[in-house]
Amino acid sequence: MNFIKQFSLLVLFIVAFSASGFSQETTKPDELEFTEITTPVDSVSKKVDSVSSRVSKPVSIEVKAPKVDKVEKTTFWGIFISGFIGGLAALLMPCIFPMLPLTVSFFTKGADKGKAFSKAALYGFFIILIYVILGLLVTVIFGADALNSLSTNGVFNFFFFLLLVTFAASFFGAFELTLPSKWVNKMDANSDKGGVAGLFFMAGTLALVSFSCTGPIIGTLLVQAATTGALLGPAIGMFGFSLALAIPFALFALFPSAMSALPKSGGWLNSVKVVLGFLELAFALKFLSNVDLAYHWEWFDREIFLVLWIVIFAMMGFYLLGKLKFSHDSSLSYISVPRLLMSIVILSFTVYLVPGLWGAPLKSVSAFLPPMETQDFDLYTPSLIGGSHSADPRTLDEKPHKYSDIFHSPLKLNAFFDYQEGIEYAKKMNKPVLIDFTGHACVNCRKMEANVWPDRNVYKMISQDYVLIQLYVDDKTDVMPEDVVISSKGRKLNTIGKKWSDLQASKFNSNSQPFYVLLDPRNEQLMVTPQGADYDVENYKKFLEAGLAAYQKR
């Protein structure tokens, strides 16, 4: 029984933390207007070389961007899974777990199995309804445009950092997050009405009474869902959360004898809260890192992030061993075997993080970490680009690239950070262009750079066969006055991020990151269909090879 109530909790929380990466994809399809793109005829295109001069008339480019439906579906599934696991975690909170047998016994007392199940199912439906409405309210209050900007807005990200730190402190026992008692009393009084209305108010009472435990989980899920930019993200996250919360009530009403297999309430429930508090604290650092990167503060580097994570997870391991104790913890007379196994897993993960201080890629968590280029002491990248990985010296440009003082390319690649500058250089070098629409807050971008780009063949093609242009769509740096652009919709594009975000949306009918575009610089035409994140190295290699083959045929 101890194994059920302890070891499974650790697995649950580790999966919950890692699953949050699914919902961090920066996807903003609601802002797009799909139009036919034609080759621009401007001052640059008038100076094309002999290859492009053979084109007798403007060429219509039909952009086949990745299907938004597929991107949205992936994001929504990630949000739902995160919400569902969060609901399972909430079920094991001290405010809810003890209420499970009491509520089920209320349904089964003096009623046949069918009637008890129907009541419990209706009760569960109302739990789902209440939390989904909460998710929809977040969308209605903030609006689609605000949700789209949350993932990159410095003020919001810093607020989310403080919010998650507050939630962690609550789980550690510093204080309890409670709602006004009159709300709870009024809801509880209405639950005595009986019938369908009574069941609805019973579900509402559960939501209010358990807020001190579920509030931080709900808040984290809503923040996580909102920062994806997906319009229905908060509602889907709350659906997954409430579904996990509601299922046990219906199942135990159908099989009441299974209640005897549940572990009894005790001090282990508070241990669940504390472990989740450590995870909230670790997750909060990602939002602080987003702000640091977007505004180029350059003080929250990869080493500092890793040191904090190492300390947080080490303390979690020591807590499980009974070396740390919080105010609400029960006395621990001995360490059970399952608790020992959990501490081994946590402390092993802590040791795994340590080589990252010297530049180890840490591929399993690379999506959460700041980019490798923020690392001051990096032994990994020099070993990667040495030998057969060395860049072709003919592709190196002696002239400093525009914006290279604030951006640093991954893996020491010779990247450009301005679209036109990169196109002109590619024409001079007679090479195709790889445009990487990326972002500081894009976890999938970091995962691609850490897990796919270092592959020997992929790295060789990017460094030697292509001209890499990295365009950050969420950067907050103001452009020079002469570079300010007014978009076709009348928007003033006065920051680097706005400029490249508008370019991606207007020229390539997409606004998700990462987004990889292979262009022929001679006429700025697509060579193959653009694509997003693909962690299969072979698939990404074929994508780059297809671009090279198309370029050679022209």
Side-chain angles (χ1 to χ4, degrees), residues 50-64:
S50 59
V51 175
S52 59
S53 64
R54 291 195 294 268
V55 181
S56 59
K57 59 180 180 179
V59 180
S60 176
I61 304 175
E62 183 182 353
V63 179
K64 297 180 180 178

Side-chain angles (χ1 to χ4, degrees), residues 231-495:
L231 181 61
L232 295 178
I236 291 175
M238 287 299 94
F239 174 67
F241 175 86
S242 56
L243 182 64
L245 209 60
I247 286 176
F249 289 98
L251 286 181
F252 285 122
L254 188 61
F255 305 104
S257 60
M259 292 288 296
S260 59
L262 288 177
K264 294 183 179 181
S265 302
W268 68 275
L269 290 173
N270 189 69
S271 297
V272 173
K273 287 181 62 176
V274 173
V275 170
L276 192 58
F278 280 115
L279 291 176
E280 293 266 7
L281 198 58
F283 188 48
L285 298 180
K286 176 59 182 171
F287 291 98
L288 185 59
S289 174
N290 290 345
V291 181
D292 178 77
L293 292 169
Y295 289 91
H296 303 285
W297 294 344
E298 297 185 356
W299 61 267
F300 198 55
D301 293 343
R302 191 172 184 265
E303 295 100 324
I304 297 176
F305 190 101
L306 280 171
V307 165
L308 290 172
W309 261 31
I310 290 169
V311 171
I312 289 171
F313 284 102
M315 292 181 72
M316 186 194 302
F318 291 141
Y319 171 79
L320 291 171
L321 290 174
K323 302 302 181 183
L324 294 176
K325 188 176 179 180
F326 291 88
S327 58
H328 294 89
D329 283 329
S330 304
S331 58
L332 190 65
S333 56
Y334 67 93
I335 302 296
S336 64
V337 173
R339 191 160 182 146
L340 176 65
L341 293 176
M342 287 192 291
S343 64
I344 290 174
V345 173
I346 294 297
L347 292 175
S348 297
F349 177 71
T350 304
V351 175
Y352 166 77
L353 294 175
V354 173
L357 298 175
W358 290 272
L362 305 180
K363 292 184 179 181
S364 63
V365 292
S366 59
F368 293 98
L369 304 178
M372 182 70 77
E373 50 271 24
T374 66
Q375 183 106 4
D376 295 324
F377 188 57
D378 178 11
L379 299 178
Y380 170 70
T381 305
S383 66
L384 176 69
I385 64 178
S388 60
H389 280 95
S390 59
D392 184 350
R394 292 174 300 173
T395 65
L396 299 179
D397 192 8
E398 296 179 359
K399 179 184 176 183
H401 300 171
K402 193 173 184 179
Y403 304 131
S404 61
D405 56 328
I406 57 175
F407 297 117
H408 305 285
S409 60
L411 307 175
K412 306 297 183 184
L413 289 163
N414 183 38
F416 290 81
F417 307 103
D418 180 78
Y419 174 79
Q420 201 57 55
E421 183 183 31
I423 292 292
E424 292 299 321
Y425 181 75
K427 289 179 181 178
K428 183 173 70 174
M429 299 301 297
N430 192 27
K431 290 185 177 183
V433 169
L434 166 61
I435 302 178
D436 172 23
F437 286 100
T438 184
H440 297 298
C442 173
V443 297
N444 291 331
C445 304
R446 304 291 84 78
K447 190 173 180 179
M448 287 291 295
E449 293 166 4
N451 295 5
V452 178
W453 284 17
D455 175 78
R456 183 178 300 273
N457 295 318
V458 171
Y459 186 89
K460 179 179 179 295
M461 282 189 282
I462 296 177
S463 61
Q464 298 184 19
D465 301 326
Y466 281 95
V467 171
L468 175 63
I469 303 177
Q470 281 199 301
L471 303 178
Y472 283 81
V473 301
D474 59 357
D475 193 78
K476 305 302 180 183
T477 305
D478 290 334
V479 298
M480 298 296 290
E482 60 270 19
D483 291 334
V484 174
V485 177
I486 303 300
S487 71
S488 58
K489 296 181 179 180
R491 292 179 58 206
K492 186 178 182 181
L493 309 179
N494 58 349
T495 67

